[in-house]
Amino acid sequence: MDFLRPTSWRDALEAKAHHPDATPIAGGTDVMVEINFDHRRPTSLLDLTGIDELASWSEHGGKLRIGAGLPYTRLIDELGDRLPGLAIAARTVGSPQIRNRGTLGGNLASASPAGDGHPPLLASGAEVEVESVRGTRLLPVEEFFTGVKRHALASDELISAVHIAPATGAQQFSKIGTRNAMVIAVCTFAIALHPERQRVGTGLGSAAPTPLRAIEAEEFLSGELADSGQWDSPRPLDDSVVRQFGDLVARAASPIDDVRSTADYRTHALGVMARRTLGWVWDEYRNHPSSTGRPECA
Amino acid sequence: MRLSFTVNGRQCEADDVWEGESLLYVLRERLGLPGSKNACEQGECGSCTVYLDGVPACACLVAAGQAAGREVGTVEGLAEGDGLGAVQESFVEAGAVQCGFCTPGLLVATDDLVNRVPHPSDAEIRESLAGNLCRCTGYEKIMDAVRLAADRRASSEASRSGKTDA
Ligand SMILES: Cc1cc2nc3c(=O)[nH]c(=O)nc-3n(C[C@H](O)[C@H](O)[C@H](O)COP(=O)(O)OP(=O)(O)OC[C@H]3O[C@@H](n4cnc5c(N)ncnc54)[C@H](O)[C@@H]3O)c2cc1C
Ligand code: FES
Ligand code: FES
C-alpha cells in the first residue's frame, strides 16, 4: 500500500489525478473502520490531514466556506453561533473523540443515507465545492448524492469545501436513536427558516437511499406563511398547518426496514420530528423574528 | 515504511510499518506501549484514546502514516515519574477501576476534560466521557473519580496562582 501525504492542496489534486484509485483519508473515522475489519484494502491512501488550508474556514460574499477537513469539534466551537442547525447535528456525531477527527468532507464522501451532516446542509441550501486538476465545480448538496453511499465525484476529484450561508432565522435538527451518543440515526430531520427569502428549508436523513429535501412540505409551508403575512407578523401556527407539514414530510420519505428500525416507524417518526422542530423554530422566530437562530440558552 | 513521531515527549521511530495499520497497533506492537487498549477497533469503546497533537482521538482510527511528525500522548505519559499522576490517583482512590480495560482511555479523556474545564458539571462529565465504554463499574465511581480529579486540578491551580500572587 502506498501512503501519499501531500502538504498542499495542489499536490493533493495532482496525487489524486495520478492515482485515481487512491482512497482519501481525513479523520479516518469511516476509512479506518473498513481497513481494520478488512472490508476495504486500498491500493493507496491519500492523507489529507497534512493540508492545513483544508481544515480552515473563511467568509466570502456573505457565505461561509468550510474546508472539507475541518473537524466537527472546531465547526461547533468556531461556527456554531452562525450555523446553529449544522452545529446541533454535529454535536450528535459519535463521541468527542470522533468529533475531534471526523469531518464534513468525510461525511459527504461516505454518502451514507444516515450521515448527520447532510440534512442541515440540505435545509440551508448548501453547495459542495469539488475540485480536480481540471478545475472546480460547485454542486448543490442534493445533486452531490447519487445513491446509497454513492456520490457525484469523478475519480480525480476531491471535496475542497462546503459553501453555506450563515443562518438568518431559527434552525433545528432532530435525530432518533437508542442513546444520546454514538448512534447511527434511525432517522433525522433538519429545518431552517429563511425569512429574507420567505422560505423554509428541510432535510431528511435515513429516510431514503439518499438524504433528501421534502420539497412539497417546503412549498406548502412557505406558501402558507407568506399568504397569511406571518413572516412580518408571526403568530402561533394553526394546528392544521403543522399537521399538514408533518404529513408532507412523512410522505417525502421512502425508508426501508433494517436492523435499526422499520420503514413504518421511520415514516411515522419523521412526521413527528417535523411537527416538533417546526414548533421549536416557529416559537423562536415569533420571539426573535430578526435573530440569527442562535439558541437562547446555549 | 518508517514512521517518526513524538510519543510522550520522546522522539520515536518504528520500522516496517504497514501503511494501513493503526496508530494503536504501532504503539502497542511496535513501540511496546500497551497502555492504550484494543477492544473494538471501530471507535466505539474509547479504550484506545490518546492525545494526537493535544486532542483526544481513538488511536485505532488514526492511520499510522497520519501520525508522522505529530505528537502523541498516551496513558503512560500521564504518570509522574515512577508514580501515578493526579488523574490516575483519583481513579484509584474513588474505586473507579475494576477489570481496568477501559481505564487508560478514560484517564486520557478525563485528563483532557479537567485541563479544559475547571469545574465540570455532571452533564459535562457525562458528555466528555460519552465515547468511553465501561462494562464493569456502572460509571458511578468513574463519575466520582472525575469529580475528584477536577477538584484537585482546581485546587492545585488555585494554590499555584496564589503563590504567584504572593
Ligand atoms: C464510533 C463512530 C461513531 C460515528 N457516529 C456517527 C454519527 O453519529 N453520525 C454520522 O453522520 N457519522 C458517524 N460516524 C461516521 C463518521 O464519523 C462520519 O461520517 C465522519 O464525518 C467521517 O469523516 P472523516 O473525516 O473521519 O472521514 P474518513 O473516514 O477520513 O473518510 C470517509 C470517506 O470520505 C472520503 N473522503 C474524506 N475526505 C474527502 C475529501 N476531502 N474529498 C473526497 N473524499 C474524501 C474517504 O475516502 C472515505 O471514503 C461515526 C463513526 C464512528 C467510528
Ligand atoms: S479500540 Fe479504539 S475505540 Fe475501541
Ligand atoms: S473497569 Fe472493566 S470495563 Fe471498565
Side-chain angles (χ1 to χ4, degrees):
Chain A
M1 191 188 287
D2 283 335
F3 194 84
L4 309 165
R5 207 164 185 236
T7 52
S8 76
W9 183 238
R10 193 72 230 161
D11 288 351
L13 295 177
E14 270 168 21
K16 190 68 174 127
H18 285 116
H19 307 269
D21 56 352
T23 299
I25 178 167
T29 60
D30 281 319
V31 173
M32 284 305 288
V33 175
E34 293 180 344
I35 295 179
N36 289 344
F37 285 82
D38 238 341
H39 294 155
R40 192 199 295 227
R41 248 320 136 85
T43 51
S44 49
L45 283 174
L46 174 58
D47 178 22
L48 301 176
T49 58
I51 307 165
D52 292 340
E53 60 196 278
L54 204 62
S56 66
W57 60 268
S58 57
E59 202 164 0
H60 301 284
K63 283 211 173 175
L64 293 164
R65 181 181 182 278
I66 306 173
L70 186 74
Y72 292 111
T73 303
R74 284 189 50 206
L75 191 151
I76 294 164
D77 289 350
E78 298 169 28
L79 295 171
D81 56 346
R82 279 183 281 176
L83 300 171
L86 186 57
I88 298 170
R91 283 190 199 98
T92 76
V93 173
S95 63
Q97 289 92 325
I98 300 299
R99 293 192 290 277
N100 284 344
R101 298 283 295 163
T103 65
L104 217 44
N107 205 227
L108 283 166
S110 284
S112 158
D116 287 322
H118 312 151
L121 295 181
L122 287 163
S124 287
E127 291 171 307
V128 185
E129 182 187 310
V130 307
E131 202 172 339
S132 71
V133 289
R134 295 174 291 123
T136 303
R137 300 192 288 153
L138 213 51
L139 300 174
V141 67
E142 57 261 57
E143 288 174 25
F144 182 80
F145 305 110
T146 55
V148 179
K149 305 199 170 179
R150 301 179 72 86
H151 52 61
L153 288 180
S155 63
D156 63 345
E157 283 178 324
L158 293 171
I159 302 172
S160 40
V162 168
H163 295 244
I164 183 170
T168 53
Q171 304 186 338
Q172 272 295 343
F173 173 81
S174 176
K175 171 173 172 177
I176 293 191
T178 42
R179 65 180 273 235
N180 275 340
M182 215 63 114
V183 287
I184 305 179
V186 164
C187 52
T188 54
F189 181 73
I191 185 168
L193 300 182
H194 306 294
E196 81 294 356
R197 287 187 277 133
Q198 304 210 336
R199 292 286 309 176
V200 178
T202 60
L204 284 63
S206 291
T210 62
L212 78 164
R213 288 164 56 194
I215 292 175
E216 269 186 63
E218 292 179 9
E219 294 292 337
F220 161 74
L221 184 58
S222 305
E224 278 291 321
L225 294 173
D227 292 349
S228 52
Q230 294 260 53
W231 290 107
D232 297 326
S233 47
R235 300 179 295 284
L237 292 174
D238 279 351
D239 276 354
S240 63
V241 171
V242 177
R243 217 171 315 117
Q244 176 75 355
F245 178 70
D247 289 350
L248 288 170
V249 166
R251 214 180 295 160
S254 50
I256 53 165
D257 291 333
D258 68 9
V259 288
R260 274 174 284 134
S261 187
T262 62
D264 280 350
Y265 177 76
R266 287 187 161 108
T267 307
H268 171 76
L270 283 161
V272 174
M273 289 194 290
R275 295 201 301 269
R276 245 179 235 173
T277 53
L278 172 57
W280 295 336
V281 292
W282 195 250
D283 278 350
E284 197 182 316
Y285 185 65
R286 283 201 305 131
N287 294 327
H288 305 277
S290 63
S291 87
T292 57
R294 184 174 301 157
E296 278 164 83
C297 55
Chain B
M1 70 177 172
R2 163 167 249 224
L3 184 66
S4 319
F5 62 125
T6 309
V7 184
N8 300 326
R10 236 185 61 231
Q11 185 61 35
C12 288
E13 257 88 48
D15 282 312
D16 301 323
V17 171
W18 176 60
E19 290 74 7
E21 73 191 39
S22 67
L23 170 62
L24 179 61
Y25 189 89
V26 174
L27 293 169
R28 291 178 54 84
E29 310 297 336
R30 301 196 188 273
L31 298 179
L33 290 169
S36 314
K37 296 290 177 256
N38 177 359
C40 73
E41 285 197 291
Q42 51 180 314
E44 295 277 348
C45 74
S47 15
C48 64
T49 304
V50 298
Y51 284 114
L52 182 61
D53 281 348
V55 177
C58 297
C60 69
L61 300 183
V62 177
Q66 293 185 297
R70 309 256 180 216
E71 276 177 39
V72 173
T74 70
V75 67
E76 285 91 345
L78 298 183
E80 278 164 22
D82 286 339
L84 298 179
V87 174
Q88 293 168 310
E89 203 63 78
S90 303
F91 270 65
V92 173
E93 275 178 45
V97 182
Q98 287 190 23
C99 81
F101 209 80
C102 65
T103 311
L106 277 161
L107 290 170
V108 175
T110 303
D111 188 64
D112 172 63
L113 173 66
V114 302
N115 283 335
R116 275 187 300 114
V117 185
H119 301 284
S121 65
D122 281 5
E124 281 170 313
I125 298 175
R126 286 182 195 283
E127 178 54 34
S128 301
L129 304 185
N132 294 79
L133 296 184
C134 173
R135 302 306 302 269
C136 301
T137 63
Y139 299 103
E140 284 308 320
K141 306 264 178 184
I142 292 173
M143 293 292 293
D144 291 344
V146 180
R147 289 185 205 109
L148 187 60
D151 287 349
R152 285 190 178 158
R153 175 63 51 99
S155 49
S156 79
E157 288 289 315
S159 66
R160 199 176 313 160
S161 61
K163 267 181 212 143
T164 17
D165 288 349

